């Protein structure tokens, strides 16, 4: 009898320990994601490479029309983009505790030192991009291809009935004819009520052309990440580790069951205006969520743990890096709305959740205080 009692106690203890271990493991998985899962919302599959078997779309030949002519910018209400100075110095980039597969290349945690630079406080808006197109006549690559990718949920039934293809590994993404920055969900949509929302359906090449016109450039991945972190060390988000501090939404992502139902608890089903939510400590808005943002660097997952200064990524590559996640990110599918998170697309790719913001070594003359004062006096 005594032996049976001892065995029962041992079994009970073992059960309790196992339960505690499982509870801890579940909490860690809930906080950090399941590293064994390789789920994605699929926006990294929206490549236009001819040898890409993931995107089941017809090949299209693009004629190069050259770079747009750079005109003198007019300082006015339409082009009032504010840039923020990010001070020189070191910061910790990447992470050793990534909740996503190693193939994302978020680690190792490393010390990166940057010179000071400027970065836009917001993503480039439809209004700003419209001024660029009006002055340069640029035709975006989505317009040249004749289509771009949109999540099925946002496409009208009228437009959807003419679509016979989908992305193989992410069938919720559909190539929509005539979808572009002007017509985000196809020709039966427009941006008239979204002028203060981030521009989308812009390729890396389009974004680079805009930056050149604006006398700026795309930020490097390191510059983007330092800006996103807002001076905080080793935090998941630009404000800390809690996704909704004090029960306040700080980013535009997917709530509910992806890709079926979005409860819109953060107030938006699609893009949000560029000045939505509280900024980080550098006074930068929407550094995570809303839309993915192109950066300069070619994609690589081969990062050294050694300290580096002003890194700009590999000299060549096939894909470009994008940062920050988007309104389509959901923890179970795309836990990439974090400071260290990253993804990639070919430079000619475009989608309804892909935009950008600009950076600069020096504040462009037309944004300098004396120039703005002159304009105000006029």
């Amino acid at each position: 009898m005594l032996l049976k009692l001892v065995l029962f106690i041992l079994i009970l203890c073992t059960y309790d320990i196992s339960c505690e271990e499982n509870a801890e493991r579940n909490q860690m998985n809930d906080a950090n994601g399941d590293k064994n899962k390789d789920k994605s919302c699929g926006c990294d599959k929206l490549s236009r490479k001819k040898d890409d078997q993931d995107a089941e779309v017809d090949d299209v030949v693009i004629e190069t029309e050259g770079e747009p002519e750079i005109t003198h910018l007019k300082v006015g209400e339409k082009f009032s983009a504010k840039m923020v100075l990010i001070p020189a110095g070191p910061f910790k980039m990447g992470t050793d505790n990534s909740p996503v597969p190693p193939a994302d290349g978020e680690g190792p945690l490393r010390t990166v030192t940057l010179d000071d630079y400027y970065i836009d406080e917001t993503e480039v808006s439809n209004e700003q991009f419209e001024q660029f197109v009006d002055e340069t006549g640029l035709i975006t690559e989505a317009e040249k291809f004749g289509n771009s990718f949109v999540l099925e949920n946002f496409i009208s039934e009228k437009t959807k009935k003419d679509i016979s293809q989908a992305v193989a590994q992410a069938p919720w993404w559909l190539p929509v004819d005539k979808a572009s920055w002007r017509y985000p969900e196809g020709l039966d949509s427009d941006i008239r009520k979204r002028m203060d929302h981030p521009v989308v359906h812009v390729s890396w090449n389009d974004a680079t052309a805009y930056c050149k016109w604006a006398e700026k450039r795309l930020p490097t991945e390191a510059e983007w990440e330092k800006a996103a972190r807002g001076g905080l060390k080793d935090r998941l988000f630009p404000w800390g580790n809690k996704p909704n501090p004090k029960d306040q939404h700080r980013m535009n992502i997917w709530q509910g069951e992806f890709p079926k139902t979005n409860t819109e608890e953060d107030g938006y089903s699609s893009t949000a205006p560029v000045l939505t939510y509280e900024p980080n400590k550098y006074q930068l808005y929407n550094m995570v969520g809303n839309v993915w943002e192109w950066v300069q660097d070619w994609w690589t997952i081969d990062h050294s743990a050694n300290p580096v200064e002003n890194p700009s990524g590999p000299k060549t590559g096939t894909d470009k890096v994008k940062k920050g996640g988007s309104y389509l990110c959901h923890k179970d599918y795309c836990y990439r709305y974090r400071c260290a998170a990253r993804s990639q697309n070919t430079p000619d790719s475009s989608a309804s959740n892909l935009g950008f913001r600009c950076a600069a070594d020096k504040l462009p003359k037309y944004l300098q205080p004396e120039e703005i004062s002159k304009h105000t006096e006029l």
Side-chain angles (χ1 to χ4, degrees):
M1 184 67 181
L2 181 61
L3 180 60
K4 288 182 179 180
L5 180 63
V6 171
L7 287 173
F8 176 78
I9 293 172
L10 286 173
I11 292 171
L12 184 62
C13 290
T14 303
Y15 175 79
D16 287 341
I17 292 171
S18 297
C19 286
E20 289 179 4
E21 288 176 346
N22 286 334
E24 284 184 19
R25 188 177 297 111
N26 289 336
Q27 288 175 359
M28 289 178 64
N29 287 340
D30 184 54
N32 299 320
D34 188 342
K35 293 185 180 181
N36 294 322
K37 292 181 180 179
D38 189 12
K39 289 187 174 181
S40 168
C41 67
C43 58
D44 59 331
K45 307 293 192 301
L46 309 182
S47 168
R48 294 193 188 275
K49 291 182 294 186
K50 290 186 177 181
D51 59 350
D52 186 356
Q53 299 302 311
D54 294 321
E56 297 176 351
V57 296
D58 295 333
D59 292 331
V60 180
V61 177
I62 297 181
E63 294 182 4
T64 303
E65 299 186 4
E67 295 180 350
E69 180 182 353
I70 301 174
T71 61
H72 177 69
L73 293 177
K74 300 171 184 176
V75 181
E77 292 182 358
K78 275 192 175 184
F79 208 94
S80 57
K82 180 181 177 183
M83 300 196 82
V84 175
L85 176 64
I86 307 299
F91 81 105
K92 293 291 187 180
M93 182 175 178
T95 179
D96 288 330
N97 299 297
S98 176
V100 297
D104 273 23
E106 293 184 5
L109 185 68
R110 53 206 184 270
T111 299
V112 173
T113 301
L114 299 176
D115 297 334
D116 56 17
Y117 61 98
Y118 289 85
I119 193 166
D120 288 350
E121 70 168 349
T122 68
E123 296 147 337
V124 173
S125 70
N126 283 316
E127 188 173 37
Q128 292 164 339
F129 199 79
E130 182 180 61
Q131 185 184 14
F132 159 62
V133 172
D134 287 347
E135 291 196 19
T136 64
L138 179 98
I139 300 173
T140 63
E141 292 197 281
E143 292 169 300
K144 293 175 184 177
F145 273 107
N147 63 39
S148 191
F149 293 98
V150 183
L151 192 76
E152 181 179 11
N153 309 46
F154 299 102
I155 305 170
S156 70
E157 291 302 319
K158 179 181 178 182
T159 297
K160 198 182 301 182
K161 69 181 179 61
D162 295 325
I163 300 173
S164 60
Q165 297 173 314
V167 177
Q169 295 184 21
W172 43 83
W173 281 106
L174 303 179
V176 176
D177 284 348
K178 307 301 181 183
S180 68
W181 73 275
R182 292 185 188 276
Y183 309 108
E185 294 84 44
L187 288 179
D188 57 357
S189 66
D190 60 59
I191 57 172
R192 283 176 294 181
K193 295 182 180 180
R194 292 183 256 181
M195 297 307 289
D196 60 346
H197 287 229
V199 66
V200 293
H201 294 295
V202 287
S203 69
W204 185 92
N205 296 316
D206 299 329
T208 299
Y210 175 96
C211 290
K212 187 173 182 180
W213 169 81
E215 300 172 27
K216 303 177 185 180
R217 57 175 174 78
L218 285 175
T220 64
E221 182 176 5
E223 288 173 338
W224 189 98
E225 189 166 324
K226 180 177 181 178
R229 292 185 178 280
L232 300 180
K233 297 180 180 179
D234 197 24
R235 295 294 184 267
L236 292 174
F237 310 113
W239 52 86
N241 283 330
K242 294 183 178 180
N244 301 319
K246 298 181 180 179
D247 294 324
Q248 298 294 314
H249 287 283
R250 298 289 296 270
M251 57 185 163
N252 178 17
I253 56 174
W254 188 282
Q255 290 94 35
E257 183 183 356
F258 184 86
K260 296 179 180 179
T261 306
N262 188 349
T263 59
E264 303 176 34
E265 295 167 26
D266 55 23
Y268 299 93
S269 63
S270 182
T271 56
V274 297
L275 286 170
T276 306
Y277 307 114
E278 186 178 337
N280 70 2
K281 290 188 176 181
Y282 284 155
Q283 299 303 300
L284 302 173
Y285 293 81
N286 289 301
M287 290 301 292
V288 294
N290 216 22
V291 294
W292 281 102
E293 298 181 19
W294 288 114
V295 296
Q296 278 190 36
D297 306 36
W298 289 107
W299 174 263
T300 183
I301 61 172
D302 184 18
H303 307 296
S304 171
N306 296 326
V308 292
E309 295 184 8
N310 299 311
S312 57
K315 298 296 183 183
T316 60
T318 56
D319 289 3
K320 289 290 186 177
V321 179
K322 59 182 184 179
K323 298 281 284 185
S326 80
Y327 64 91
L328 296 179
C329 282
H330 183 280
K331 191 172 183 179
D332 289 344
Y333 268 82
C334 183
Y335 193 19
R336 293 173 176 86
Y337 47 93
R338 297 168 290 105
C339 295
R342 55 205 302 270
S343 187
Q344 88 276 16
N345 285 112
T346 55
D348 58 1
S349 298
S350 61
S352 58
N353 67 338
L354 184 51
F356 69 105
R357 76 179 70 212
C358 304
D361 296 324
K362 297 179 180 179
L363 195 65
K365 185 177 181 182
Y366 66 90
L367 287 177
Q368 292 176 6
E370 59 269 23
E371 290 295 320
I372 295 175
S373 297
K374 289 177 185 178
H375 176 76
T376 304
E377 292 171 2
L378 294 176

